[in-house]
Amino acid sequence: MFLIKTMMPNPLAGLNPMRGGEEDVEAAPADPAKAAGMTREENEENQKQLVEDKMEREADFLHKKAERATLRVCLRDKYRLPKVRAYSLPPYNLM
């Protein structure tokens, strides 16, 4: 039994807030570019690319949202459906 306990680490050893966490904070470099293994210029270029990608995703999302709204209005007109709002629905009694 002693041999098994010595070979297997304690899974709760890393959860102690008084031990183990201080080394990780000091070991991390202050510059995020060095932490990622890039130069400062590469990091700036990467950040610009991330911002551009995010803007492109947001533009695509807004375009798709507008398309869905247009389709929704067309279907409502075609089938003469009323515009239903979430707050106009009757409350559900779950009990």
Side-chain angles (χ1 to χ4, degrees):
M1 194 67 163
F2 173 75
L3 184 61
I4 293 173
K5 286 184 179 180
T6 56
M7 291 180 68
M8 296 189 66
N10 185 1
L12 301 176
L15 298 177
N16 190 351
M18 300 303 285
R19 301 178 60 200
E22 294 85 18
E23 298 93 22
D24 295 336
V25 173
E26 294 173 354
D31 190 15
K34 288 182 181 178
M38 296 186 259
T39 64
R40 183 175 295 267
E41 292 81 18
E42 289 173 340
N43 188 31
E44 289 174 1
E45 184 178 327
N46 188 25
Q47 292 298 324
K48 287 179 185 177
Q49 185 66 34
L50 290 175
V51 169
E52 289 174 6
D53 290 345
K54 182 179 178 185
M55 290 174 57
E56 185 178 341
R57 283 193 310 271
E58 288 175 357
D60 290 342
F61 173 75
L62 290 175
H63 183 72
K64 288 179 184 179
K65 187 176 179 181
E67 286 179 346
R68 287 191 296 265
T70 303
L71 180 65
R72 195 169 39 247
V73 169
C74 290
L75 290 175
R76 251 192 238 125
D77 290 343
K78 180 178 180 180
Y79 296 108
R80 297 184 182 146
L81 298 173
K83 186 175 182 179
V84 179
R85 296 191 178 143
Y87 59 85
S88 66
L89 295 175
Y92 293 101
N93 190 0
L94 299 176
M95 292 187 183

